[in-house]
Amino acid sequence: MHLEFNICRYLRMSNPIEAKACFNKGIESLVQKELKKAIQHFDQAIKLDNRYALAYSNRGLAWQKQGDLEKALPDFEQAIKLNPKLADPYYYRGLVRKKKGDLDAALADYNRALQLNPRMAEAFSSRGSIRKKQGDLSGALADFDASLRIDSAHAEAYNGRGLLRQEKGDLSGALADFDAALNSSPDYAEAFYNRGLARKAKGDRAGAVTDFAGALQFRPDLAEAYANRGLTLLELNKDTEAQRDFDQYVRLKPTRWIKLQGIIEKTKRQRQQGKQ
């Protein structure tokens, strides 16, 4: 039996050089999406050097990727306390605050991250999404554009700008952005879903069905994709397939069935009127 020897597990004395070795192991595990292993390596790095701000920041990121925001947040706070000039923990803390619904605090964190690192494409993109939510469409567009100037393959910025263009009625521009997002990130479920909505709005129902299926391939829990694919299938007179999607939607969102049922009945009436 092959046993992997992990030197970080056996180190005891405080040593910044050895802490760096454990930190690097943590980064490797983080890149490989081995989050539990990454956290263990960062734990050891912090034991060896309890002022290692980057280790706190990246351990917080691993906790965040695991969905444990309550453990992630204190790590970002500690990283900022130890080194207020690091941009990353501000950005990561902004992501947590956004997820918790505190948009103003998240915006402040993105602003600070960009002050420290004006080339952080992801911070521009994330700030753009908040500005859009808050109704600052021109500011949001400027942020998405800035993100793409820095990183022309930044999928989230294309997706955000696509949503903005769709909201303004520019469906062709929106589709181009969703295409670019998927070229950069072929497993981007939300971009598939958003492109499906844009295609449906342009009358391309078959393309919309294909995109909703693409979204569900990567996000089987995306209830709205089931609902919208079902409604599109209804418009294509594929009632049996549509009902299967509605059943899946109800399984995921049982409290929203009554609202969806009203939309289904409206779609059926419109379909019937179109036949007359």
Side-chain angles (χ1 to χ4, degrees), residues 182 186-197 211-212 214-215 218:
L182 289 165
D187 60 351
Y188 195 173
E190 287 75 11
F192 270 115
Y193 174 72
N194 293 327
R195 190 174 70 177
L197 293 176
D211 274 345
F212 294 141
F218 300 108

Side-chain angles (χ1 to χ4, degrees), residues 1 6 18 20 22 44 51 57 86 95 115 123 125 127-128 137 148-149 153 175 179 185 189 229 242 250 254 266:
M1 180 185 299
N6 181 1
E18 293 169 344
K20 176 69 172 176
C22 294
Q44 192 60 45
R51 297 191 60 77
S57 180
L86 282 178
L95 294 178
Q115 287 174 352
S125 179
R127 189 174 71 176
L137 302 188
L148 291 168
R149 282 195 298 272
L175 285 168
D179 287 344
S185 182
R229 186 173 67 176
V250 172
K266 180 180 178 181

Side-chain angles (χ1 to χ4, degrees), residues 32-48:
Q32 294 168 2
K33 299 182 179 179
E34 296 175 338
L35 301 179
K36 185 176 180 181
K37 189 182 290 188
I39 289 168
Q40 290 171 347
H41 287 309
F42 293 134
D43 281 346
Q44 192 60 45
I46 290 166
K47 286 179 184 177
L48 289 161

Side-chain angles (χ1 to χ4, degrees), residues 91 110 113-115 117-131 139-150 154 157:
Y91 172 66
Y110 297 147
L114 286 167
Q115 287 174 352
N117 180 5
R119 301 286 299 170
M120 188 181 278
E122 58 268 38
F124 275 114
S125 179
S126 295
R127 189 174 71 176
S129 68
I130 288 185
R131 285 179 161 176
L141 181 60
D143 275 347
F144 294 136
D145 286 344
S147 177
L148 291 168
R149 282 195 298 272
I150 296 166
H154 195 66

Side-chain angles (χ1 to χ4, degrees), residues 11-176:
L11 295 172
R12 292 289 181 268
M13 296 178 63
S14 177
N15 188 317
I17 295 175
E18 293 169 344
K20 176 69 172 176
C22 294
F23 173 81
N24 289 339
K25 288 278 189 182
I27 294 296
E28 289 175 14
S29 297
L30 199 56
V31 170
Q32 294 168 2
K33 299 182 179 179
E34 296 175 338
L35 301 179
K36 185 176 180 181
K37 189 182 290 188
I39 289 168
Q40 290 171 347
H41 287 309
F42 293 134
D43 281 346
Q44 192 60 45
I46 290 166
K47 286 179 184 177
L48 289 161
D49 181 359
N50 64 8
R51 297 191 60 77
Y52 203 158
L54 279 173
Y56 282 105
S57 180
N58 281 279
R59 187 176 68 178
L61 179 59
W63 285 123
Q64 182 181 345
K65 287 180 179 293
Q66 278 195 340
D68 194 336
L69 303 185
E70 300 309 317
K71 287 185 178 178
L73 194 56
D75 273 349
F76 299 142
E77 301 276 5
Q78 183 65 8
I80 290 167
K81 180 180 178 181
L82 290 170
N83 189 347
K85 293 185 179 180
L86 282 178
D88 284 355
Y90 285 103
Y91 172 66
Y92 298 145
R93 188 174 69 176
L95 294 178
V96 172
R97 286 174 161 177
K98 180 184 176 184
K99 199 153 192 177
K100 285 174 167 283
D102 192 349
L103 299 186
D104 289 334
L107 191 62
D109 275 341
Y110 297 147
N111 287 338
R112 182 58 179 152
L114 286 167
Q115 287 174 352
L116 294 166
N117 180 5
R119 301 286 299 170
M120 188 181 278
E122 58 268 38
F124 275 114
S125 179
S126 295
R127 189 174 71 176
S129 68
I130 288 185
R131 285 179 161 176
K132 180 180 178 295
K133 282 179 181 290
Q134 293 182 335
D136 180 8
L137 302 188
S138 60
L141 181 60
D143 275 347
F144 294 136
D145 286 344
S147 177
L148 291 168
R149 282 195 298 272
I150 296 166
D151 179 3
S152 61
H154 195 66
E156 288 79 9
Y158 281 118
N159 185 62
R161 193 173 68 179
L163 287 170
L164 190 60
R165 286 175 164 173
Q166 188 171 359
E167 189 172 312
K168 290 183 173 183
D170 179 9
L171 292 178
S172 296
L175 285 168

